[in-house]
Amino acid sequence: MMASTWGRVVLLSALVWGTLALAQEAPAAGEHPAGEGGASEQKLSKDVQNPVANLISVPLQNNTDLGIGPFDRQRNTLNIQPVVPMPLTLDWNLITRVILPIVYQPDTAAELGGTFGLGDTSVTFFVAPKKPGKLIWGVGPALLLPTATDDVLGTGKWSAGPSVVLLVQPGPWTLGVLANNLWSVFGSGDRASVNQLLLQYFITYDLPEGWYVNSAPILTANWEAEAGQEWVVPFGGGGGKVFKVGGQALNGSVGAYYNAVRPDGGAKWQIRVQLAFLFPEGKKQQHE
């Protein structure tokens, strides 16, 4: 069991480092002229709200779920989420989004104790036009890989399904939706089948100097659950700022969401804190 766990750790570490290496070496997907000096904080603020922008980013997103079970336990999930756009053709980009979760799952039947380890890895590929119109969009497959180091941290199933993102950015606003539905394809025969929806709408209003306020709740539905226990529907919001430390562009944000609809024993609140490392195209081109 220990050898299997460490094997997964090594495999996933290679996946993350490989993605980061690709981010450094891949040719820029955009077409800004060389020597532009990097995007401004205001432009970066716009780009970070667009899931299919020509922007390499490595978000570290920490989600703390509060009020789980009869003992009001806490679950913590740190998502490592590299996003790498690459040119597919002269007119199209391929955006790869990976989510590697590191999870602490509490024992909901006791006041103490829980399980810590890796969860299932999500990989989404969006094909998107390089020069979209007013409606920005991307479509592609979403995959769920059974990389969890413990049964309570994952599904035990290889799953796949379609994913789509649609958004518009009029003036200081960004309004959009991202959705996918996954079905289990194969995996452990003694584990439950997977049929789950993820739906995230996002609303952002840009403020001066890289500041913004936003709401980006993640709605989920487990279609295999009992009637009345399928949905998690949060409401809330937060804000953040795009800034630089030295020459490194960063995006920091904080949000809080109340799960108005949730299954029995589900988390009541979620606190989301994120720090994303940004690699604008102009900065890459300065070194080419």
Side-chain angles (χ1 to χ4, degrees):
M1 179 66 177
M2 183 63 72
S4 175
T5 297
W6 279 109
R8 290 171 179 167
V9 171
V10 171
L11 177 62
L12 291 171
S13 297
L15 173 64
V16 172
W17 284 109
T19 303
L20 293 179
L22 180 62
Q24 293 297 322
E25 298 298 331
E31 299 178 355
H32 294 295
E36 189 179 62
S40 67
E41 290 182 1
Q42 206 65 28
K43 180 182 184 304
L44 275 176
S45 181
K46 209 70 172 173
D47 285 346
V48 298
Q49 314 304 334
N50 177 3
V52 291
N54 290 332
L55 173 69
I56 296 169
S57 65
V58 185
L60 305 176
Q61 184 188 94
N62 195 80
N63 296 289
T64 303
D65 297 301
L66 308 173
I68 298 173
F71 298 101
D72 286 337
R73 302 297 306 279
Q74 297 181 14
R75 175 175 55 239
N76 198 83
T77 305
L78 173 63
N79 289 324
I80 304 171
Q81 305 181 159
V83 180
V84 180
M86 294 175 287
L88 193 59
T89 69
L90 291 176
D91 299 317
W92 300 90
N93 284 334
L94 176 68
I95 295 89
T96 303
R97 300 171 62 87
V98 177
I99 301 178
L100 171 63
I102 301 173
V103 185
Y104 174 75
Q105 175 67 43
D107 183 351
T108 58
E111 293 188 62
L112 299 173
T115 304
F116 176 80
L118 300 174
D120 288 346
T121 300
S122 300
V123 184
T124 306
F125 301 95
F126 286 114
V127 175
K130 286 186 178 181
K131 297 180 179 180
K134 292 183 179 180
L135 177 65
I136 302 168
W137 59 275
V139 295
L143 308 174
L144 186 66
L145 314 181
T147 54
T149 53
D150 192 280
D151 284 353
V152 303
L153 303 179
T155 63
K157 298 283 190 179
W158 296 80
S159 303
S163 186
V164 61
V165 60
L166 303 168
L167 67 143
V168 293
Q169 294 188 304
W173 292 93
T174 296
L175 310 169
V177 62
L178 183 154
N180 65 57
N181 201 98
L182 296 171
W183 292 268
S184 52
V185 180
F186 56 88
S188 176
D190 59 357
R191 302 295 298 276
S193 298
V194 173
N195 182 2
Q196 59 189 33
L197 169 72
L198 181 148
L199 175 66
Q200 181 179 33
Y201 66 84
F202 43 97
I203 303 169
T204 303
Y205 185 81
D206 287 325
L207 300 169
E209 299 181 2
W211 288 94
Y212 59 85
V213 291
N214 72 337
S215 179
I218 299 174
L219 290 70
T220 59
N222 177 8
W223 304 120
E224 298 291 328
E226 297 179 6
Q229 303 295 306
E230 303 96 336
W231 284 93
V232 176
V233 181
F235 292 94
K241 178 177 171 59
V242 173
F243 59 100
K244 291 185 178 180
V245 176
Q248 179 61 59
L250 299 165
N251 175 33
S253 63
V254 178
Y257 296 89
Y258 175 70
N259 293 325
V261 178
R262 58 185 183 273
D264 295 340
K268 298 180 179 70
W269 284 89
Q270 182 181 89
I271 307 300
R272 186 185 305 165
V273 179
Q274 178 173 288
L275 179 66
F277 294 82
L278 311 176
F279 302 94
E281 305 152 22
K283 183 177 178 180
K284 285 177 63 66
Q285 290 171 340
Q286 283 185 310
H287 298 283
E288 294 179 352

